[in-house]
Amino acid sequence: MPEVLFSFDQSKSFFEQRVAPHNRWHPDVPPVATVSPGSEFRLECREWFDGLVHNDDSADDIRNLDLSIVHPLSGPISVEGAEPGDLLVVDILDLGPVPQESGPVAGQGWGYTGVFARDNGGGFLTDHFPDAHKAVWDFHGQKATSRHLPGVGFTGITHPGLIGTAPSHDLLGNWNRREAELIATDPDAVPPLALPPEPNNALLGHMEEEQAEQAAREAARTAPPRENGGNQDIKNLTRGARIFMPVFVEGGKLSAGDLHFSQGDGEITFCGAIEMGGYLDLGVDLIKGGMEAYGVTNNPVFFPGNVEPRYSEFLTFVGISVTEEGQQRHLDSQLAYKRACLNAIEYLTKFGYSPEQAYLLLGAAPIEGRFSGVVDVPNSCATLYLPTEIFDFDIRPSAGGPQRAERGSAAS
C-alpha cells in the first residue's frame, strides 16, 4: 500500500483532526508533505459534509446543511522541483470507500445523493425541485443500490470530484474579481450567482492563526471548477486516469477530496453524486515548462480512466434550446441539456418513480450527457444516455406500455 500522507479519523469532525484539511483555495496553505517526482502515496478523505448527512429516511439534514464548511481537502502535497509554468502529472492509481469500516459516516459502507433546496444552493433543475430530498445508497463491492430507489442497481465509476493545484496570488485575485463582478449583476439572486470568500468555517490547514485569519478573507471557495482544476466533478477521472495539471506556485501544492462512488454527467442535483469518504492513491511526476510547451495554461487536460461499467444499451433522451413555455433560445446548450433531463424524468415517472426519485437517479447513476449539436441555428441539441441494464425491469418502449409499479419514495 502507498504511504499515507494525509490521514482522517472518520469518528471526528474535520475541525477536530490532528492535521486539519483545508476547505478554501489559497497559495499560502502550507504543504503537509513533500514528495519527489515519481512518488506514489495515499490521501485519506472525509466526505464533503463532514458526516452531517445521516443514513435515515429524512432529508432534514440536507435541508439544513451549511455550505460554508465544504469541501474538506486532503493536502496540499508539494512536489520537489515543481515551479510555475510546469505541468504536474497526476495518476489516479486506486480509490474507494473507507476500507474495513462500517458506521454512521458516508463512505463506511454507504453514501448519499441529495437535492438541495433552492434557498440553500439549489441545483440544475431547482425551478422544478425547490425543496430538499435525499437517497441513501448501500455499497456491495462496486455496485450501489438504494431503498429510496427500488428496482435500480449499478456499478459506479468511483472518482474524486475535486482535485487541483494551488492558485498563485495573482490568479486568486482574478478569481475574486471576476466572481464579484458576476455577483454584482444580481446580488440577491437565489441561488446566488457565485460564492464569495467566506471567513466563517474557513480551514486553511496548519497555517498560523493570525495569517489564517487574514487569508480567510480572500481565500476562494472550493465549489466551482477553475483554472487549477478544482471541483470539476468529471466522473471519468477514475482509476487509470492521468491528469496534466498547471502549476501556479512552487511545489504545485496538490490537494484532493469530495470522493464519489458514482455520478452521472453533470451531477445535476448539485449534491448529485453518491457522496462518500474514503481513500485516494496517486502518483505524481513533472513536465518542466509543460504549460507553455503544450499550451495547457487555462485548465488541466487528462486521459480518462480505463475502468468503467460495461453498459452496452442506452435509452437516449433529446433536448433542444426551447423553453417549456415554447420560447425559442439561440443555441442555448445549457437549456438543451435541462430539457433532456426533464424528458428523462418525465419518462421514468411512467414506471412509478416520483419526479424527485428520477432526479436523484440521474444525478447518481452513470448516465452520459453530450452536446450533440451546437451549430444548427437556432437549436442546440443535447442528449442524455441512460443505461437500460441498471433497472431490474424493462424500461424500453413497447406496445405493451410501461411496467408501472409502486416504487417507494425519496427521503424528504
Side-chain angles (χ1 to χ4, degrees), residues 2 52 90 94 104 109 165 174 194 196 210 311 322 338 352 369 374 385 403:
L52 297 176
V90 181
D94 196 11
T165 52
N174 287 338
E210 185 174 337
Y311 295 119
V322 176
K338 284 185 178 180
V374 294
Y385 289 63
Q403 301 175 32

Side-chain angles (χ1 to χ4, degrees), residues 83-375:
E83 299 173 304
D86 296 343
L87 285 178
L88 186 62
V89 183
V90 181
D91 288 314
I92 298 180
L93 305 175
D94 196 11
L95 74 163
V98 180
Q100 305 300 316
E101 287 189 27
S102 60
V105 179
Q108 295 179 322
W110 64 280
Y112 64 90
T113 302
V115 175
F116 282 171
R118 172 195 287 277
D119 59 0
N120 191 30
F124 191 52
L125 303 177
T126 194
D127 290 342
H128 293 80
F129 300 94
D131 200 5
H133 302 278
K134 181 177 74 178
V136 173
W137 302 86
D138 295 311
F139 303 156
H140 315 276
Q142 294 299 310
K143 187 175 181 179
T145 61
S146 174
R147 63 183 180 273
H148 297 122
L149 278 160
V152 173
F154 50 80
T155 300
I157 307 178
T158 309
H159 60 281
L162 202 161
I163 184 167
T165 52
S168 65
H169 283 278
D170 285 345
L171 184 56
L172 175 62
N174 287 338
W175 293 351
N176 287 336
R177 172 192 51 76
R178 73 190 186 201
E179 292 173 24
E181 290 173 352
L182 175 61
I183 293 169
T185 65
D186 189 358
D188 299 320
V190 179
L193 299 182
L195 299 174
E198 172 53 76
N200 184 47
N201 285 325
L203 281 172
L204 292 160
H206 56 279
M207 189 183 290
E208 295 292 335
E209 183 175 353
E210 185 174 337
Q211 183 187 12
E213 289 179 3
Q214 170 62 34
R217 292 192 283 270
E218 61 183 12
R221 307 282 287 277
T222 57
R226 298 187 181 93
E227 289 88 339
N228 67 328
N231 195 29
Q232 298 177 116
D233 290 314
I234 299 172
K235 74 178 191 298
N236 302 98
L237 291 180
T238 185
R239 296 175 187 86
R242 170 168 285 188
I243 316 168
F244 301 86
M245 311 197 74
V247 172
F248 301 106
V249 300
E250 184 178 351
K253 293 187 176 180
L254 176 70
S255 300
D258 189 29
L259 299 188
H260 298 161
F261 189 87
S262 178
Q263 181 202 294
D265 281 340
E267 198 187 13
I268 60 175
T269 74
F270 183 30
C271 186
I274 300 179
E275 307 286 350
M276 68 175 193
Y279 70 94
L280 175 63
D281 292 347
L282 300 174
V284 293
D285 212 331
L286 273 180
I287 299 177
K288 298 297 294 180
M291 288 175 66
E292 181 178 355
Y294 288 100
V296 181
T297 57
N298 294 319
N299 298 97
V301 298
F302 67 94
F303 292 112
N306 52 18
V307 178
E308 61 183 28
R310 294 181 178 178
Y311 295 119
S312 59
E313 182 182 85
F314 298 84
L315 184 60
T316 303
F317 299 87
V318 176
I320 59 174
S321 50
V322 176
T323 70
E324 293 170 81
E325 296 74 30
Q327 182 184 8
Q328 183 70 62
R329 299 283 177 82
H330 178 257
L331 298 180
D332 187 337
S333 297
Q334 182 95 342
L335 172 60
Y337 192 53
K338 284 185 178 180
R339 295 304 304 273
C341 292
L342 290 169
N343 289 339
I345 289 169
E346 175 67 16
Y347 186 90
L348 289 170
T349 63
K350 302 304 181 183
F351 294 84
Y353 291 115
S354 70
E356 292 77 16
Q357 286 175 299
Y359 188 28
L360 287 161
L361 172 61
L362 297 182
I367 66 167
E368 296 182 10
R370 303 178 187 177
F371 290 152
S372 300
V374 294
V375 296

